[in-house]
Amino acid sequence: MRTFLFIILIVFFSCCSKAVFQPKWTNDKAPENFTARFETSKGVFDIQVNRTSSPMAVDRFYQFTKHHLYDNTLFYRVVPDFVVQFGNSDTTQTGPWNKFKISDEKVLKSNIKGALSYARDGKDTRGNDLFINLKNNSRLDTVNYNGVKGFPSFGTVVKGMEVVESIYSGYGNATIDQYDSLSPNRAKFLKTFPKLDSIKKVYILKRRL
């Protein structure tokens, strides 16, 4: 009986734990078009993604979504009338991915209201942090930031923009000053910024046949 229970516990914990990162995941190619659904603390919204807009960015977003990197993460920076930003700050999860860089790409699709783009901090630094534009931020298409021109957008909110706009924005940029503390001590970070909204899970909607 004890052996039987032990086997059940092993199966249970192996099913519930996240799979260990495998480099081959970074070779997964995204469909040309797909829709990602975000279930959040404020409701649900959908983003339609187009691979031709920024192929390498879309492939990585697809890989991250497929392997649940954005599940249980925070909207850690929300600037009113500008952007909603989010990403996975757990370095134990993101560390292996960071070794596989996303090269910079030209801006082919504008940062209009509802557009999704990767944040970055210089050449070839697009990681897993993303932002959704809360207004028409077309200036981000051509701005030269740390030696790289523009932020290529690759998706657009097609359902639930009112949910995106309702995400708590009272802290503005104040969270960025303490962002480095989020990964080592999420509980402490949330104690400082308790009203932050979160992403419960992100997944790709199946196409209707």
mmCIF file of all heavy atoms in Angstrom, residues 28-34 49-65 102 105 118 126 153-155:
data_model
loop_
_atom_site.group_PDB
_atom_site.id
_atom_site.type_symbol
_atom_site.label_atom_id
_atom_site.label_comp_id
_atom_site.label_asym_id
_atom_site.label_seq_id
_atom_site.Cartn_x
_atom_site.Cartn_y
_atom_site.Cartn_z
ATOM 1 N N ASP A 28 11.647 26.172 -32.107
ATOM 2 C CA ASP A 28 10.239 26.067 -32.494
ATOM 3 C C ASP A 28 9.826 27.283 -33.321
ATOM 4 O O ASP A 28 10.059 28.432 -32.917
ATOM 5 C CB ASP A 28 9.343 25.988 -31.250
ATOM 6 C CG ASP A 28 9.477 24.665 -30.525
ATOM 7 O OD1 ASP A 28 10.053 23.733 -31.111
ATOM 8 O OD2 ASP A 28 9.017 24.562 -29.376
ATOM 9 N N LYS A 29 9.221 27.021 -34.456
ATOM 10 C CA LYS A 29 8.762 28.103 -35.329
ATOM 11 C C LYS A 29 7.276 28.343 -35.118
ATOM 12 O O LYS A 29 6.480 27.411 -35.076
ATOM 13 C CB LYS A 29 9.034 27.751 -36.788
ATOM 14 C CG LYS A 29 8.648 28.837 -37.780
ATOM 15 C CD LYS A 29 8.987 28.415 -39.204
ATOM 16 C CE LYS A 29 8.547 29.478 -40.215
ATOM 17 N NZ LYS A 29 8.874 29.079 -41.607
ATOM 18 N N ALA A 30 6.905 29.593 -34.966
ATOM 19 C CA ALA A 30 5.506 29.955 -34.730
ATOM 20 C C ALA A 30 4.684 29.844 -36.008
ATOM 21 O O ALA A 30 5.212 29.983 -37.114
ATOM 22 C CB ALA A 30 5.434 31.384 -34.206
ATOM 23 N N PRO A 31 3.381 29.631 -35.871
ATOM 24 C CA PRO A 31 2.489 29.725 -37.038
ATOM 25 C C PRO A 31 2.537 31.145 -37.595
ATOM 26 O O PRO A 31 2.921 32.080 -36.898
ATOM 27 C CB PRO A 31 1.108 29.404 -36.447
ATOM 28 C CG PRO A 31 1.384 28.711 -35.154
ATOM 29 C CD PRO A 31 2.656 29.288 -34.635
ATOM 30 N N GLU A 32 2.143 31.326 -38.832
ATOM 31 C CA GLU A 32 2.162 32.659 -39.445
ATOM 32 C C GLU A 32 1.216 33.611 -38.712
ATOM 33 O O GLU A 32 1.500 34.808 -38.591
ATOM 34 C CB GLU A 32 1.792 32.566 -40.923
ATOM 35 C CG GLU A 32 2.855 31.893 -41.780
ATOM 36 C CD GLU A 32 4.214 32.566 -41.657
ATOM 37 O OE1 GLU A 32 4.287 33.816 -41.775
ATOM 38 O OE2 GLU A 32 5.217 31.852 -41.431
ATOM 39 N N ASN A 33 0.100 33.082 -38.232
ATOM 40 C CA ASN A 33 -0.852 33.887 -37.468
ATOM 41 C C ASN A 33 -1.438 33.029 -36.344
ATOM 42 O O ASN A 33 -1.728 31.847 -36.556
ATOM 43 C CB ASN A 33 -2.010 34.377 -38.365
ATOM 44 C CG ASN A 33 -1.540 35.288 -39.470
ATOM 45 O OD1 ASN A 33 -1.283 36.457 -39.249
ATOM 46 N ND2 ASN A 33 -1.415 34.751 -40.688
ATOM 47 N N PHE A 34 -1.591 33.609 -35.182
ATOM 48 C CA PHE A 34 -2.248 32.905 -34.084
ATOM 49 C C PHE A 34 -2.737 33.929 -33.068
ATOM 50 O O PHE A 34 -2.351 35.110 -33.106
ATOM 51 C CB PHE A 34 -1.318 31.878 -33.428
ATOM 52 C CG PHE A 34 -0.093 32.447 -32.774
ATOM 53 C CD1 PHE A 34 -0.087 32.810 -31.434
ATOM 54 C CD2 PHE A 34 1.086 32.592 -33.496
ATOM 55 C CE1 PHE A 34 1.048 33.320 -30.831
ATOM 56 C CE2 PHE A 34 2.233 33.105 -32.901
ATOM 57 C CZ PHE A 34 2.221 33.468 -31.567
ATOM 58 N N VAL A 49 -1.413 37.670 -33.261
ATOM 59 C CA VAL A 49 0.004 37.803 -33.590
ATOM 60 C C VAL A 49 0.242 37.459 -35.055
ATOM 61 O O VAL A 49 -0.330 36.508 -35.582
ATOM 62 C CB VAL A 49 0.845 36.873 -32.679
ATOM 63 C CG1 VAL A 49 2.319 36.970 -33.026
ATOM 64 C CG2 VAL A 49 0.620 37.228 -31.214
ATOM 65 N N ASN A 50 1.102 38.247 -35.689
ATOM 66 C CA ASN A 50 1.434 38.057 -37.106
ATOM 67 C C ASN A 50 2.944 37.886 -37.231
ATOM 68 O O ASN A 50 3.702 38.808 -36.948
ATOM 69 C CB ASN A 50 0.957 39.276 -37.917
ATOM 70 C CG ASN A 50 1.123 39.074 -39.413
ATOM 71 O OD1 ASN A 50 2.025 38.374 -39.847
ATOM 72 N ND2 ASN A 50 0.251 39.698 -40.182
ATOM 73 N N ARG A 51 3.380 36.725 -37.680
ATOM 74 C CA ARG A 51 4.811 36.415 -37.714
ATOM 75 C C ARG A 51 5.591 37.310 -38.664
ATOM 76 O O ARG A 51 6.766 37.619 -38.425
ATOM 77 C CB ARG A 51 5.029 34.942 -38.089
ATOM 78 C CG ARG A 51 6.476 34.485 -37.912
ATOM 79 C CD ARG A 51 6.634 32.987 -38.136
ATOM 80 N NE ARG A 51 8.009 32.586 -37.875
ATOM 81 C CZ ARG A 51 8.976 32.643 -38.774
ATOM 82 N NH1 ARG A 51 8.710 33.081 -40.012
ATOM 83 N NH2 ARG A 51 10.210 32.272 -38.465
ATOM 84 N N THR A 52 4.996 37.746 -39.767
ATOM 85 C CA THR A 52 5.724 38.562 -40.743
ATOM 86 C C THR A 52 6.130 39.919 -40.163
ATOM 87 O O THR A 52 7.033 40.570 -40.689
ATOM 88 C CB THR A 52 4.883 38.791 -42.008
ATOM 89 O OG1 THR A 52 3.653 39.448 -41.649
ATOM 90 C CG2 THR A 52 4.572 37.479 -42.704
ATOM 91 N N SER A 53 5.487 40.357 -39.076
ATOM 92 C CA SER A 53 5.785 41.656 -38.493
ATOM 93 C C SER A 53 7.160 41.695 -37.828
ATOM 94 O O SER A 53 7.832 42.733 -37.829
ATOM 95 C CB SER A 53 4.717 42.041 -37.462
ATOM 96 O OG SER A 53 3.452 42.106 -38.053
ATOM 97 N N SER A 54 7.570 40.575 -37.252
ATOM 98 C CA SER A 54 8.865 40.485 -36.559
ATOM 99 C C SER A 54 9.115 39.007 -36.279
ATOM 100 O O SER A 54 8.897 38.530 -35.153
ATOM 101 C CB SER A 54 8.842 41.295 -35.259
ATOM 102 O OG SER A 54 10.092 41.330 -34.627
ATOM 103 N N PRO A 55 9.567 38.249 -37.289
ATOM 104 C CA PRO A 55 9.633 36.784 -37.199
ATOM 105 C C PRO A 55 10.348 36.232 -35.968
ATOM 106 O O PRO A 55 9.845 35.314 -35.317
ATOM 107 C CB PRO A 55 10.366 36.396 -38.490
ATOM 108 C CG PRO A 55 10.050 37.494 -39.440
ATOM 109 C CD PRO A 55 10.014 38.739 -38.610
ATOM 110 N N MET A 56 11.514 36.769 -35.653
ATOM 111 C CA MET A 56 12.273 36.228 -34.516
ATOM 112 C C MET A 56 11.579 36.521 -33.190
ATOM 113 O O MET A 56 11.586 35.694 -32.278
ATOM 114 C CB MET A 56 13.699 36.779 -34.524
ATOM 115 C CG MET A 56 14.570 36.132 -35.592
ATOM 116 S SD MET A 56 16.277 36.747 -35.625
ATOM 117 C CE MET A 56 16.049 38.263 -36.550
ATOM 118 N N ALA A 57 10.964 37.693 -33.110
ATOM 119 C CA ALA A 57 10.231 38.048 -31.895
ATOM 120 C C ALA A 57 9.016 37.141 -31.719
ATOM 121 O O ALA A 57 8.737 36.664 -30.617
ATOM 122 C CB ALA A 57 9.795 39.502 -31.958
ATOM 123 N N VAL A 58 8.302 36.906 -32.798
ATOM 124 C CA VAL A 58 7.103 36.068 -32.730
ATOM 125 C C VAL A 58 7.460 34.633 -32.376
ATOM 126 O O VAL A 58 6.775 33.991 -31.569
ATOM 127 C CB VAL A 58 6.312 36.131 -34.051
ATOM 128 C CG1 VAL A 58 5.189 35.101 -34.059
ATOM 129 C CG2 VAL A 58 5.739 37.529 -34.259
ATOM 130 N N ASP A 59 8.524 34.118 -32.966
ATOM 131 C CA ASP A 59 8.948 32.760 -32.636
ATOM 132 C C ASP A 59 9.234 32.632 -31.138
ATOM 133 O O ASP A 59 8.829 31.668 -30.493
ATOM 134 C CB ASP A 59 10.201 32.376 -33.425
ATOM 135 C CG ASP A 59 9.894 32.056 -34.885
ATOM 136 O OD1 ASP A 59 8.707 31.910 -35.236
ATOM 137 O OD2 ASP A 59 10.858 31.961 -35.670
ATOM 138 N N ARG A 60 9.924 33.632 -30.573
ATOM 139 C CA ARG A 60 10.262 33.560 -29.160
ATOM 140 C C ARG A 60 9.015 33.722 -28.289
ATOM 141 O O ARG A 60 8.867 33.024 -27.281
ATOM 142 C CB ARG A 60 11.310 34.615 -28.805
ATOM 143 C CG ARG A 60 11.847 34.553 -27.365
ATOM 144 C CD ARG A 60 12.371 33.153 -26.959
ATOM 145 N NE ARG A 60 13.320 32.599 -27.893
ATOM 146 C CZ ARG A 60 14.639 32.815 -27.853
ATOM 147 N NH1 ARG A 60 15.140 33.572 -26.898
ATOM 148 N NH2 ARG A 60 15.431 32.253 -28.732
ATOM 149 N N PHE A 61 8.113 34.613 -28.662
ATOM 150 C CA PHE A 61 6.863 34.760 -27.916
ATOM 151 C C PHE A 61 6.065 33.452 -27.948
ATOM 152 O O PHE A 61 5.502 33.023 -26.933
ATOM 153 C CB PHE A 61 6.028 35.897 -28.495
ATOM 154 C CG PHE A 61 4.671 36.046 -27.867
ATOM 155 C CD1 PHE A 61 4.536 36.510 -26.573
ATOM 156 C CD2 PHE A 61 3.521 35.719 -28.574
ATOM 157 C CE1 PHE A 61 3.284 36.636 -25.982
ATOM 158 C CE2 PHE A 61 2.266 35.842 -28.004
ATOM 159 C CZ PHE A 61 2.143 36.299 -26.704
ATOM 160 N N TYR A 62 6.034 32.817 -29.093
ATOM 161 C CA TYR A 62 5.355 31.534 -29.248
ATOM 162 C C TYR A 62 5.995 30.482 -28.334
ATOM 163 O O TYR A 62 5.294 29.730 -27.639
ATOM 164 C CB TYR A 62 5.440 31.093 -30.708
ATOM 165 C CG TYR A 62 4.920 29.707 -31.002
ATOM 166 C CD1 TYR A 62 3.547 29.458 -31.064
ATOM 167 C CD2 TYR A 62 5.796 28.648 -31.242
ATOM 168 C CE1 TYR A 62 3.063 28.186 -31.352
ATOM 169 C CE2 TYR A 62 5.327 27.381 -31.522
ATOM 170 C CZ TYR A 62 3.960 27.153 -31.579
ATOM 171 O OH TYR A 62 3.494 25.888 -31.867
ATOM 172 N N GLN A 63 7.326 30.446 -28.311
ATOM 173 C CA GLN A 63 8.042 29.491 -27.465
ATOM 174 C C GLN A 63 7.761 29.743 -25.985
ATOM 175 O O GLN A 63 7.491 28.806 -25.220
ATOM 176 C CB GLN A 63 9.546 29.586 -27.745
ATOM 177 C CG GLN A 63 9.941 29.147 -29.142
ATOM 178 C CD GLN A 63 11.257 29.772 -29.605
ATOM 179 O OE1 GLN A 63 12.013 30.353 -28.816
ATOM 180 N NE2 GLN A 63 11.555 29.660 -30.895
ATOM 181 N N PHE A 64 7.814 31.013 -25.593
ATOM 182 C CA PHE A 64 7.539 31.360 -24.199
ATOM 183 C C PHE A 64 6.124 30.968 -23.803
ATOM 184 O O PHE A 64 5.887 30.440 -22.714
ATOM 185 C CB PHE A 64 7.716 32.866 -23.986
ATOM 186 C CG PHE A 64 9.147 33.332 -23.903
ATOM 187 C CD1 PHE A 64 9.479 34.637 -24.220
ATOM 188 C CD2 PHE A 64 10.154 32.478 -23.495
ATOM 189 C CE1 PHE A 64 10.788 35.091 -24.133
ATOM 190 C CE2 PHE A 64 11.474 32.906 -23.406
ATOM 191 C CZ PHE A 64 11.786 34.214 -23.724
ATOM 192 N N THR A 65 5.179 31.254 -24.678
ATOM 193 C CA THR A 65 3.778 30.945 -24.376
ATOM 194 C C THR A 65 3.557 29.438 -24.311
ATOM 195 O O THR A 65 2.891 28.928 -23.398
ATOM 196 C CB THR A 65 2.854 31.573 -25.435
ATOM 197 O OG1 THR A 65 3.063 32.987 -25.465
ATOM 198 C CG2 THR A 65 1.400 31.289 -25.133
ATOM 199 N N ILE A 102 17.597 37.191 -29.105
ATOM 200 C CA ILE A 102 16.730 37.547 -30.227
ATOM 201 C C ILE A 102 17.392 38.725 -30.929
ATOM 202 O O ILE A 102 17.551 39.791 -30.344
ATOM 203 C CB ILE A 102 15.328 37.970 -29.757
ATOM 204 C CG1 ILE A 102 14.739 36.956 -28.782
ATOM 205 C CG2 ILE A 102 14.405 38.157 -30.949
ATOM 206 C CD1 ILE A 102 13.427 37.399 -28.166
ATOM 207 N N GLU A 105 15.366 43.519 -35.183
ATOM 208 C CA GLU A 105 14.679 43.507 -36.471
ATOM 209 C C GLU A 105 14.125 44.893 -36.767
ATOM 210 O O GLU A 105 13.897 45.696 -35.861
ATOM 211 C CB GLU A 105 13.531 42.486 -36.450
ATOM 212 C CG GLU A 105 14.012 41.048 -36.235
ATOM 213 C CD GLU A 105 12.859 40.072 -36.027
ATOM 214 O OE1 GLU A 105 12.230 40.108 -34.953
ATOM 215 O OE2 GLU A 105 12.604 39.281 -36.951
ATOM 216 N N TYR A 118 8.301 43.980 -27.799
ATOM 217 C CA TYR A 118 9.294 43.628 -26.793
ATOM 218 C C TYR A 118 9.977 44.883 -26.272
ATOM 219 O O TYR A 118 10.327 45.776 -27.041
ATOM 220 C CB TYR A 118 10.369 42.713 -27.378
ATOM 221 C CG TYR A 118 10.057 41.244 -27.279
ATOM 222 C CD1 TYR A 118 9.681 40.514 -28.399
ATOM 223 C CD2 TYR A 118 10.134 40.580 -26.055
ATOM 224 C CE1 TYR A 118 9.397 39.158 -28.318
ATOM 225 C CE2 TYR A 118 9.847 39.227 -25.957
ATOM 226 C CZ TYR A 118 9.481 38.526 -27.087
ATOM 227 O OH TYR A 118 9.187 37.191 -26.986
ATOM 228 N N ARG A 126 16.397 42.014 -26.601
ATOM 229 C CA ARG A 126 15.006 41.617 -26.387
ATOM 230 C C ARG A 126 14.994 40.274 -25.666
ATOM 231 O O ARG A 126 15.528 39.283 -26.167
ATOM 232 C CB ARG A 126 14.251 41.538 -27.718
ATOM 233 C CG ARG A 126 14.050 42.894 -28.368
ATOM 234 C CD ARG A 126 13.162 42.825 -29.602
ATOM 235 N NE ARG A 126 13.800 42.085 -30.688
ATOM 236 C CZ ARG A 126 13.216 41.834 -31.857
ATOM 237 N NH1 ARG A 126 11.976 42.248 -32.090
ATOM 238 N NH2 ARG A 126 13.853 41.158 -32.800
ATOM 239 N N SER A 153 6.647 46.148 -33.287
ATOM 240 C CA SER A 153 5.447 45.513 -32.726
ATOM 241 C C SER A 153 5.089 44.306 -33.595
ATOM 242 O O SER A 153 5.416 44.262 -34.776
ATOM 243 C CB SER A 153 4.292 46.508 -32.649
ATOM 244 O OG SER A 153 3.586 46.570 -33.841
ATOM 245 N N PHE A 154 4.426 43.326 -32.994
ATOM 246 C CA PHE A 154 4.143 42.098 -33.738
ATOM 247 C C PHE A 154 2.782 41.506 -33.409
ATOM 248 O O PHE A 154 2.439 40.414 -33.869
ATOM 249 C CB PHE A 154 5.231 41.046 -33.474
ATOM 250 C CG PHE A 154 5.397 40.681 -32.029
ATOM 251 C CD1 PHE A 154 4.640 39.655 -31.471
ATOM 252 C CD2 PHE A 154 6.313 41.343 -31.234
ATOM 253 C CE1 PHE A 154 4.791 39.304 -30.135
ATOM 254 C CE2 PHE A 154 6.479 40.988 -29.894
ATOM 255 C CZ PHE A 154 5.721 39.970 -29.351
ATOM 256 N N GLY A 155 1.993 42.195 -32.618
ATOM 257 C CA GLY A 155 0.667 41.694 -32.274
ATOM 258 C C GLY A 155 -0.244 42.839 -31.878
ATOM 259 O O GLY A 155 0.232 43.955 -31.610
#
